[in-house]
Amino acid sequence: MITAIVCDIEGTTTDIAFVHQVLFPFAAQRLPEFVRQHADTPEVAAALKRLRQEAHEPHADLERCIALLQTYMQQDKKSPALKTLQGLIWVAGYQAKQFTGHVYADAYHALQQWYADGIQLYIYSSGSVAAQKLLFGHSDYGDLQPLFHGYFDTAVGAKREVNAYSTIRAQLQRPAHELLFLSDIHQELDAARADGWHTIQLIRGDADPDSRHPQVSSFADIQLSVLS
């Protein structure tokens, strides 16, 4: 019996185009001025300190830090410092209602039903926990945060590494056979399966011929009863 479901965001609950065509450009356009204006605030100063550590440039000045961040954005580098700063910039966009967090309709309805059925719901994304909460807190369907029991980001490990799912499983205090991970990326699902989890791949386009996981095109096609 599935008692907890962990969902990826990009390509799973949310159209990847929203992230790459709305969120990323919004942050990229505003990042240089945001960093210059807020460099002395505790959150931004801490992120810049972490950036210098990531880049192994402990004496990088502010303009060098901005250049590093812009390079990381172009490379789509999974930089914790960059993720933190992007999240801080997105706060303003969400609060000003310049955009809302995209959530597929089928994902919204399934999550509501699973929550009503008593299944605990979690998010695991490469985006920071703060960014995850922003997306679901300001979604197309309003504030969806009450549906979720918790959030995980790469602080628990990379999404293609088995140890990340072992860490999440330990924190959820549930056996692997009660856990289901949903993602559009089969390598992530491979890692979860290696830890004993149930897995289902969300395919919003063409089927993935290299995947060993059950594939569905909609949350509506997920039947938890067959996983028991």
Side-chain angles (χ1 to χ4, degrees):
M1 178 180 180
I2 300 299
T3 62
I5 298 174
V6 179
C7 294
D8 169 52
I9 293 179
E10 290 184 32
T12 303
T13 65
T14 297
D15 191 338
I16 196 169
F18 170 71
V19 177
H20 289 275
Q21 297 177 17
V22 178
L23 290 184
F24 284 176
F26 185 87
Q29 181 180 5
R30 290 160 177 77
L31 186 138
E33 190 60 28
F34 178 85
V35 171
R36 294 186 185 106
Q37 288 183 355
H38 301 281
D40 294 330
T41 63
E43 287 181 305
V44 174
L48 293 175
K49 179 179 179 180
R50 185 164 189 177
L51 174 69
R52 294 183 180 102
Q53 293 170 342
E54 292 175 21
H56 304 291
E57 296 188 25
H59 304 297
D61 64 15
L62 192 60
E63 292 307 311
R64 173 57 180 161
C65 287
I66 290 171
L68 283 168
L69 290 164
Q70 291 176 317
T71 298
Y72 287 178
M73 282 190 288
Q74 292 169 0
Q75 297 173 343
D76 194 20
K77 185 178 179 67
K78 306 304 183 185
S79 159
L82 173 61
K83 297 294 183 184
T84 296
L85 292 168
Q86 286 174 322
L88 293 172
I89 294 168
W90 291 331
V91 168
Y94 281 114
Q95 291 180 342
K97 301 187 185 303
Q98 292 179 273
F99 46 78
T100 55
H102 176 267
V103 176
Y104 286 113
D106 57 275
Y108 167 67
H109 293 300
L111 291 168
Q112 276 199 320
Q113 184 60 59
W114 292 336
Y115 176 83
D117 291 341
I119 296 171
Q120 293 196 356
L121 304 174
Y122 299 86
I123 294 295
Y124 177 32
S125 173
S126 58
S128 68
V129 166
Q132 297 172 33
K133 290 180 177 180
L134 279 172
L135 191 155
F136 290 105
H138 299 82
S139 84
D140 300 335
Y141 298 95
D143 185 1
L144 301 185
Q145 289 190 85
L147 297 178
F148 299 104
H149 280 75
Y151 304 82
F152 300 97
D153 58 21
T154 51
V156 301
K159 296 184 71 182
R160 300 187 183 196
E161 295 179 358
V162 178
N163 71 287
Y165 301 91
S166 301
T167 298
I168 293 173
R169 172 171 50 80
Q171 292 190 28
L172 299 188
Q173 298 183 322
R174 281 177 165 74
H177 68 264
E178 293 184 8
L179 303 176
L180 170 63
F181 181 52
L182 305 177
S183 175
D184 63 320
I185 304 296
H186 75 256
Q187 292 92 337
E188 297 175 1
L189 297 166
D190 290 345
R193 176 74 65 83
D195 191 53
W197 294 48
H198 291 282
T199 54
I200 293 178
Q201 187 171 5
L202 270 295
I203 300 293
R204 300 289 178 175
D206 295 334
D208 180 353
D210 299 319
S211 175
R212 300 179 292 109
H213 308 274
Q215 298 181 36
V216 297
S217 60
S218 167
F219 273 67
D221 297 327
I222 297 172
Q223 299 181 39
L224 300 184
S225 59
V226 303
L227 304 177
S228 302

